Amino acid sequence: MLEIIKDTVSYIKTHIQAEPEIGIVLGTGLGGLVNEIDIQTSLSYEKIPNFPVSTVEGHSGKLIFGKLANKNVVAMQGRFHFYEGYEMSQVIFPIRVMKYLGIKTLFLSNASGGVNPDFEIGDLMIITDHICLVPNPLIGKNEAQLGTRFPDMSEAYDKNLISKAEQIAQNLGIKVKKGVYTATTGPTFETPSEYKYFRIIGSDTVGMSTAPEVIAARHMGLPCFAMSIITDLGVPGKIIEVTHEEVQRVATNTETKMTKIFKKLIEEI
Ligand code: HPA
């Protein structure tokens, strides 16, 4: 595994000007942050050795290098989901590559369904914790150079980054919620009973990504910060048909606010 990661990293290093210190994973309909990056290099996933190729609509599949808030960043425009048929090791492969490229912090975004009855469509939520209901991406032989066999998950989402982000949001006059994200495999959205179940087990939102990537990052000791845009509601009495197009539409309409928070937070760390 390590050899494969290093092979990919050495290919990428021949194409970039500076080592990134921040990694960013952009979720469905949330690629707009890329417009804020002063892009130096853009690599299509299909050109990168050993990289899986993204298939889902709304994910264009590029690794973007450049400056954001005066920091060298690498952004994944499009991520890999378990529901696309990838192995979990493929889903988290780019996170491992970003770590070996030199990132010190990982930022992630996603679109999700709100199951907390206090949430509205278009709300932003800072993820404080997750419940991972997809197969754990670390199942299998442990690569000791990457991390320990039994990684701690007591602070999967960095408390310091969370409080900084809350402060930033307040200063910018942007309302944010905080809560627990549950990752499910998809690709179906939930039945009303499944939404109810997710609420009962302690979720505020449900989506199809993020938790495996955060697990892989924490395995390697990388601090993580993640935000979710609530694109639909799985709240009794408010459940209506959900489509991927609607998820993308709400995400795109709300992302400017999230981008502002990400940018300022990146500037301050
Ligand atoms: N469920 C699962 N994933 C999602 C949802 C949802 O309601 N909305 C956006 N991604």
Side-chain angles (χ1 to χ4, degrees):
M1 171 56 69
L2 209 57
E3 284 317 305
I4 301 171
I5 297 167
K6 285 182 177 165
D7 181 40
T8 304
V9 167
S10 56
Y11 169 87
I12 295 172
K13 280 195 169 162
T14 62
H15 289 79
I16 59 175
Q17 298 166 18
E19 189 175 281
E21 57 179 299
I22 310 268
I24 308 168
V25 184
L26 299 167
T28 305
L30 300 169
L33 181 72
V34 165
N35 301 331
E36 301 288 320
I37 302 175
D38 181 7
I39 301 175
Q40 291 161 347
T41 308
S42 171
L43 301 172
S44 293
Y45 291 162
E46 51 281 356
K47 299 234 172 76
I48 305 174
N50 313 317
F51 240 62
V53 175
S54 184
T55 57
V56 74
E57 220 181 298
H59 294 250
S60 54
K62 277 189 221 127
L63 208 52
I64 291 162
F65 294 84
K67 288 247 184 219
L68 178 66
N70 228 12
K71 299 241 161 66
N72 289 309
V73 301
V74 50
M76 285 181 71
Q77 196 173 34
R79 56 150 60 95
F80 302 100
H81 302 87
F82 190 55
Y83 65 74
E84 293 176 85
Y86 299 111
E87 300 289 333
M88 269 302 177
S89 59
Q90 293 179 291
V91 170
I92 60 164
F93 182 72
I95 309 300
R96 290 176 162 170
V97 168
M98 290 195 283
K99 161 79 182 174
Y100 276 81
L101 281 169
I103 68 162
K104 303 287 184 285
T105 314
L106 182 66
F107 283 70
L108 310 99
S109 66
N110 62 51
S112 65
V115 294
N116 181 327
D118 297 334
F119 287 7
E120 309 277 357
I121 289 175
D123 274 354
L124 286 175
M125 185 187 90
I126 295 173
I127 302 180
T128 54
D129 203 2
H130 72 224
I131 298 172
C132 185
L133 297 183
V134 299
N136 194 299
L138 304 180
I139 289 172
K141 183 179 171 292
N142 185 54
E143 205 73 59
Q145 280 131 310
L146 295 179
T148 176
R149 170 75 288 188
F150 299 106
D152 170 68
M153 283 289 146
S154 62
E155 194 181 328
Y157 299 82
D158 191 87
K159 288 203 173 88
N160 187 28
L161 292 172
I162 293 171
S163 59
K164 272 206 171 92
E166 277 188 283
Q167 193 58 54
I168 288 168
Q170 201 182 358
N171 293 346
L172 292 170
I174 299 170
K175 283 210 177 74
V176 286
K177 303 272 186 354
K178 282 198 296 181
V180 177
Y181 173 86
T182 292
T184 174
T185 63
T188 48
F189 294 111
E190 286 63 38
T191 63
S193 302
E194 287 165 344
Y195 280 128
K196 193 170 157 194
Y197 159 76
F198 284 128
R199 182 64 188 153
I200 289 168
I201 64 167
S203 326
D204 295 290
T205 61
V206 52
M208 308 174 195
S209 66
T210 307
E213 294 147 334
V214 168
I215 289 172
R218 296 302 303 135
H219 181 228
M220 302 182 292
L222 275 179
C224 295
F225 175 78
M227 285 188 80
S228 211
I229 288 183
I230 287 69
T231 55
D232 53 276
L233 293 174
V235 172
K238 293 188 179 169
I239 298 173
I240 52 161
E241 190 184 335
V242 194
T243 63
H244 184 60
E245 291 68 33
E246 182 60 6
V247 166
Q248 281 181 296
R249 195 189 63 75
V250 177
T252 306
N253 285 347
T254 316
E255 74 166 331
T256 341
K257 287 190 281 180
M258 196 186 70
T259 298
K260 283 186 185 153
I261 298 171
F262 267 38
K263 202 175 158 183
K264 192 85 184 120
L265 188 56
I266 288 170
E267 190 183 307
E268 287 187 11
I269 59 174

